[in-house]
Structure formats: structure tokens, C-alpha cells
Amino acid sequence: MKHRLRAFALLLSLALLLNLTALAAPAPSDAAMRGVWVSSVYNLDYPKTPGTDAASLRRQADAILDGAESMGLNAIFLQVRPSADALYPSGIFPWSKYLTGTCGAAPTDGFDPLRYFIDGAHARGLELHAWLNPYRITKGKDAEWGALPASHPAKQHPEYTVKYTDGNYYFNPGLPAVRQLVEDGVSEILDKYPDIDGIHFDDYFYPGQDFDDAATFAQYGGGFSDIGDWRRENVNILVRELDALIHRKNPAIQFGISPSGVWANKADNARGSDTRGGNPSYSKAYADTLAWISEGTVDYVCPQLYWYMGQSAADYTVLTKWWSDAVKGSDVKLYIGEAAYKCDDPEQGDVWKGSAELLRHLGYCETQPGVGGHIFFRYGSFDEVPGLRAALTGYYATAANTPATDTPPGSGFDAAGDAARAAGFLQTFLLFLQAVIR
């Protein structure tokens, strides 16, 4: 009888431990987003020095991971596909030239940067999101095109590509086969890295209005009288299908997009913001973020609000309120993309000099319902701007850091309090079990 009692007590203890552990460990999404983009394109952030040496690549990754943790950040958005390439071993896309110096060349020792970043981020309590560019093939025009390996999907299928007026090559978003290629690339990441926290796209969809896709429109544009509406629907289909794919494989993975800060100007579109200029994404990139929010095909949006407070053409406060209204009533979260890089740009003028303007943004957003945090562009700016790293570290060490959309005080999650109560209850319960078993 005593053995059965002990077995029952052990099972009951394990069950309680599992439940109490879950109670004492809040999901990262409960906290305000404190993210940073880590750019691989042009070797802006990672790696700063490309090469195949795995030891060097690890050291550079550790410096970023340690730096993000020490600042109080909680998420890294690592650019793993800057230009139809990969910072991980892929059966679809070649190794990135920004990683090793040569497109298609692998790091030594079987080193996998994405795996290393995921493990390193999670060990430090950070999320790791894979940041992808879906359509761009080159940044270096014909010279880069000529250096692509024969195994590259663009070389295997040149009919998928369009040479744009900027001299660079892009996949044609109007082709169903291109959409499948992008989706296959995402599916590969999810299968290889099931513990990844998110899939993230930036604001690059169609490169511009003069994209040479008239023949594609003639073939696939049935039912559309306007080529712009058709292009937007091509992007919408991709977003819908990715949303379904990602959450079918893992409902916990976050899928988000960081569009240009201006969806449309009110002078051109009655639903747009009270702004002028700003490269509106609705008509330039054919990215209809309002449609994604309405359909719920993204988990969050992170508009790039790279303007200062009071700027006449595009006021940061005006745009913040417009985006907050855009997500109101939806289950789509809103994060704000912040231009940390402008603090080091002498062409921006005195208003951006130093860290004061960014800190004003953070303080302002604490008063705005709907804003769930920030993502900074980019990691290297924390060191390039004198005092910025220290300023943000201090801010996150003292600020409340809770989204304005959180539940009222007293009804939310109290990690420290719940953990203490759980530990106290567990200790009392174990003492009770010891008495019973004796």
C-alpha cells in the first residue's frame, strides 16, 4: 500500500511541477517588443567581415547576441535571405556572398549561422526571427548576376526573373511558380528550424511602378482591369498562403511584415495618412498592409516610421496614430520600426543628432494604445551613434516596457509574484507528501 501511495504522490508531484512551471514562465509575446534588425546585406551588421572561417563567424555572432542581451532587448531579426540566398544550409538557395564572400561558398566545419543564432538567442532569453527578402536577386546588377552559381534558382529558371530599370534582377511576383519558390523557401526553414520564433519580411515587394510584367499581366491578370490592383493581389495571395503555411506547421510561430511607414498619402487615397511623400507602399511596392490587417493574414505589422516628431511632410506622431487606428479592433499587433541609423547621419540635421529623438519616440509610444513595442534599424547603429547603446540600455532598465494594449493592472501576468507563490505552494505540498508517505 505504501509503495502505491508513494507512486501516486510522485505522479501528482510531477503533474503539479509541470503546471507550476508553466505558470511561472510567461511567453515572450506577453512583453513589449524590444527588437533589433541585424542586417547581412552589404555586411552592415553580420558578418561585418565575411569569410568561411567558422570561428570568426561565431565570434561575430556572440558579440551581437551578448550585446542585445546586455541592452535589455528581447528579439533579434536576423537577415538570412538578403538576395535570393541563405545564411544557413539550403537545398534551394545558395550560401550568401555576404556570409562567406562568394555566393555558394559554405563556411568551414559545417557551421550553420542560423542554428547558432537560434540556440544563442534562446540561451540568453531572446527570440530569433528569420528576416527574408522574397523577390530580390541582385544588388550588384549584371556583375552580381554573372557571379551567381549555375545551381541558383534564378539561373535555373531565368523565365522567373525581370531585369528592372535600376539594373538589378528580381523574381516576378505575378508568376505562380515564383510564389511557390518563396513558399518552399519558408517551408524549408520551418522544417529545419522548428524552434524558430518568427518569419519576417521587410518592405521590398515590387521594386517600382515601371516593372516589366505586361506579358505576365496579359497571361494571369484575368478579372483585373487595373495592373496595380492585380499586382497588389499577387502580394496578397503570397501573404495569405504564407500565413496558412506557417501556422499549419506551427501555430506559435509569428509571421510579420515591416512595410514602408506611409501606406498612402491622404491626397492620393482617402484612407491614407495626413502625410506627403514617403514612398507609399500601396502604390509603389504594391503592398496593401490594410488588406493583411483586415484579413488577419499577419500576426503583426512593423511600419518603418523613420521620421521625427513634428516633421512637416510625415510627422512621427501622426503616423503612429494612423497605424494604431489601422490595427484597432483586429488581432494584429503593432510594433514601430525605429530609425536608429539616422542618429548617426549628418544629413538628417540636429533634430536626429544623438539619442534624444529616439527616446522621445519611446516615451510617446508608451501613451499610445495599440503600440506593442519597437524594432530598431539596425544593430550596428548602437555603436556607431555615440551614447545610443547606453541610452537605450538605461531606458529599458527603468521603463515599464508593457504595451498600451496590455490588460489592466491586477488582471495581467505577474511573473515574479506567481513564481514566488508557486514555489511556496510547492514547498508546502512536498512537506505534506513527506508526512503522508511516512
Side-chain angles (χ1 to χ4, degrees):
M1 177 66 181
K2 185 177 286 188
H3 292 301
R4 285 196 293 269
L5 185 58
R6 285 174 176 167
F8 170 75
L10 179 60
L11 289 172
L12 185 58
S13 299
L14 288 172
L16 279 169
L17 276 169
L18 289 172
N19 281 286
L20 291 172
T21 300
L23 177 66
S29 59
D30 291 339
M33 171 60 71
R34 304 190 300 274
V36 61
W37 280 293
V38 174
S39 300
S40 55
V41 68
Y42 293 136
N43 297 111
L44 291 174
D45 295 320
Y46 181 81
K48 292 289 286 187
T49 305
T52 59
D53 180 51
S56 173
L57 294 172
R58 288 190 185 95
R59 284 193 298 271
Q60 293 180 68
D62 285 337
I64 292 171
L65 291 162
D66 290 341
E69 180 189 20
S70 68
M71 289 181 65
L73 303 182
N74 60 15
I76 288 176
F77 294 77
L78 176 66
Q79 191 174 30
V80 300
R81 180 164 307 127
S83 297
D85 49 10
L87 268 72
Y88 57 92
S90 170
I92 302 172
F93 298 97
W95 285 100
S96 176
K97 72 169 187 175
Y98 298 113
L99 180 72
T100 62
T102 302
C103 185
T108 59
D109 301 332
F111 178 60
D112 180 347
L114 180 52
R115 178 76 267 161
Y116 193 79
F117 263 94
I118 293 172
D119 292 343
H122 290 175
R124 295 166 174 82
L126 310 173
E127 294 182 358
L128 196 288
H129 299 244
W131 165 20
L132 316 175
N133 188 295
Y135 299 129
R136 185 170 64 207
I137 300 170
T138 68
K139 291 283 284 183
K141 305 180 181 179
D142 287 325
E144 185 175 354
W145 172 264
L148 297 179
S151 60
H152 194 289
K155 288 295 186 74
Q156 292 285 310
H157 297 281
E159 71 276 12
Y160 291 179
T161 72
V162 172
K163 186 177 183 181
Y164 188 53
T165 54
D166 65 356
N168 282 303
Y169 293 80
Y170 299 82
F171 286 118
N172 185 347
L175 295 175
V178 164
R179 185 164 64 245
Q180 188 62 56
L181 176 66
V182 174
E183 293 170 14
D184 288 346
V186 171
S187 184
E188 180 185 50
I189 291 174
L190 299 178
D191 290 340
K192 288 174 68 71
Y193 310 97
D195 54 341
I196 202 162
D197 296 292
I199 297 295
H200 177 83
F201 283 16
D202 53 20
D203 57 337
Y204 292 105
F205 292 95
Y206 280 87
Q209 294 174 323
D210 51 350
F211 193 73
D212 185 10
D213 59 351
T216 313
F217 179 50
Q219 183 177 0
Y220 294 103
F224 289 90
S225 59
D226 180 84
I227 194 170
D229 291 337
W230 171 73
R231 287 172 174 171
R232 277 181 285 273
E233 183 59 14
N234 290 331
V235 177
N236 291 345
I237 292 171
L238 177 68
V239 172
R240 286 187 205 114
E241 292 181 351
L242 283 173
D243 175 64
L245 167 69
I246 291 167
H247 295 115
R248 183 173 64 250
K249 285 181 175 288
N250 186 344
I253 290 180
Q254 302 167 65
F255 174 43
I257 298 177
S258 179
S260 171
V262 174
W263 177 79
N265 295 299
K266 184 180 289 186
D268 304 316
N269 188 316
R271 301 173 68 197
S273 52
D274 189 12
T275 51
R276 300 184 302 280
N279 198 34
S281 61
Y282 181 82
S283 57
K284 297 293 181 67
Y286 300 95
D288 188 358
T289 313
L290 293 188
W292 312 335
I293 294 170
S294 176
E295 295 180 16
T297 50
V298 289
D299 296 310
Y300 67 86
V301 292
C302 181
Q304 299 171 30
L305 303 193
Y306 295 172
W307 297 274
Y308 59 81
M309 297 173 71
Q311 192 161 345
S312 59
D315 187 332
Y316 180 91
T317 61
V318 168
L319 282 164
T320 301
K321 291 176 180 176
W322 186 90
W323 282 101
S324 183
D325 287 341
V327 301
K328 188 180 297 182
S330 75
D331 61 356
V332 176
K333 295 180 180 180
L334 172 64
Y335 308 135
I336 303 299
E338 298 287 352
Y341 75 97
K342 283 195 171 182
C343 301
D344 188 46
D345 184 356
E347 295 183 3
Q348 300 299 324
D350 291 341
V351 70
W352 276 107
K353 190 173 183 179
S355 56
E357 180 63 23
L358 275 190
L359 295 180
R360 281 192 289 270
H361 291 185
L362 302 186
Y364 173 77
C365 286
E366 286 188 4
T367 70
Q368 297 305 302
V371 177
H374 306 262
I375 306 176
F376 297 93
F377 185 82
R378 54 183 176 80
Y379 182 84
S381 300
F382 296 152
D383 293 318
E384 293 162 3
V385 179
L388 180 57
R389 180 183 291 274
L392 289 175
T393 301
Y395 178 86
Y396 283 130
T398 58
N401 293 323
T402 53
T405 51
D406 273 1
T407 50
S411 62
F413 188 94
D414 175 11
D418 285 346
R421 285 187 289 275
F425 177 81
L426 181 59
Q427 183 178 19
T428 302
F429 178 72
L430 289 176
L431 289 172
F432 167 76
L433 282 179
Q434 289 173 6
V436 170
I437 291 171
R438 290 196 193 97

